[in-house]
Amino acid sequence: MTSPATIDLPPQAVSARQARRWVTERMSAYGLEPLCDAVELLTAEVVTNALLHAGTSVSLRVRRQGAGVQVEVMDGSSVPPHRQHFSRTATTGRGIGLLDDLADEWGWRPEEDGKTVWFRVLRPRQTWSVADLEGLGDLGLEGLEDA
């Protein structure tokens, strides 16, 4: 396990984009490009949820673990992550499902001044399943493959 790299992000929408770019740079520095899509997607999801639900600054930590990586997102809310149920076409409510599907492990722990949500990706993942792509027709996005 390597020493973690950490970045602090303000409670602003632009922080999610900064988190994606920063974690992509870390993955490249670690030589873990095959894991990058899944790690970037999960990082964006967890950071966005922290920004939306905690409304506090966020600390993002990345640590290489053997052939994989552990990502931790710390925020100032003590409310644990919980699954929400929305319609299939909703643009929110998929964070825990993504963690279940793309992370090898994930969890959370309370902290003195909030919580940490963490996940590990230890092997490459296919971030879009055939079922996901077939579902685009339900959203009125037919023909995107021709664009």
Side-chain angles (χ1 to χ4, degrees):
M1 199 175 343
T2 63
S3 296
T6 304
I7 185 173
D8 294 320
L9 302 165
Q12 301 170 349
V14 69
S15 291
R17 183 175 62 227
Q18 290 173 322
R20 285 192 312 271
R21 288 182 180 160
W22 186 82
V23 80
T24 299
E25 291 169 5
R26 301 290 73 73
M27 297 303 291
S28 180
Y30 295 151
L32 297 175
E33 288 88 353
L35 306 180
C36 194
D37 287 346
V39 171
E40 183 182 358
L41 178 61
L42 291 174
T43 298
E45 184 66 30
V46 175
V47 167
T48 298
N49 283 345
L51 294 168
L52 285 173
H53 300 295
T56 66
S57 60
V58 172
S59 290
L60 173 60
R61 180 179 303 147
V62 178
R63 177 189 323 250
R64 183 171 183 159
Q65 290 193 318
V69 67
Q70 177 166 315
V71 176
E72 298 178 345
V73 177
M74 293 74 66
D75 66 47
S77 171
S78 61
V79 177
H82 60 280
R83 189 175 305 272
Q84 297 184 9
H85 301 282
F86 292 94
S87 75
R88 184 171 181 194
T89 57
T91 59
T92 190
R94 292 183 177 77
I96 291 178
L98 285 172
L99 286 165
D100 287 341
D101 290 345
L102 299 177
D104 287 288
E105 298 177 80
W106 76 272
W108 75 280
R109 64 181 176 268
E111 304 287 351
E112 187 175 305
D113 56 351
K115 70 176 169 301
T116 297
V117 176
W118 60 269
F119 64 87
R120 291 185 187 110
V121 176
L122 306 173
R123 57 190 168 87
R125 295 293 201 289
Q126 182 69 26
T127 55
W128 295 102
S129 70
V130 172
D132 291 333
L133 296 175
E134 289 171 351
L136 290 177
D138 298 341
L139 300 176
L141 301 175
E142 297 89 350
L144 280 182
E145 65 278 358
D146 299 327

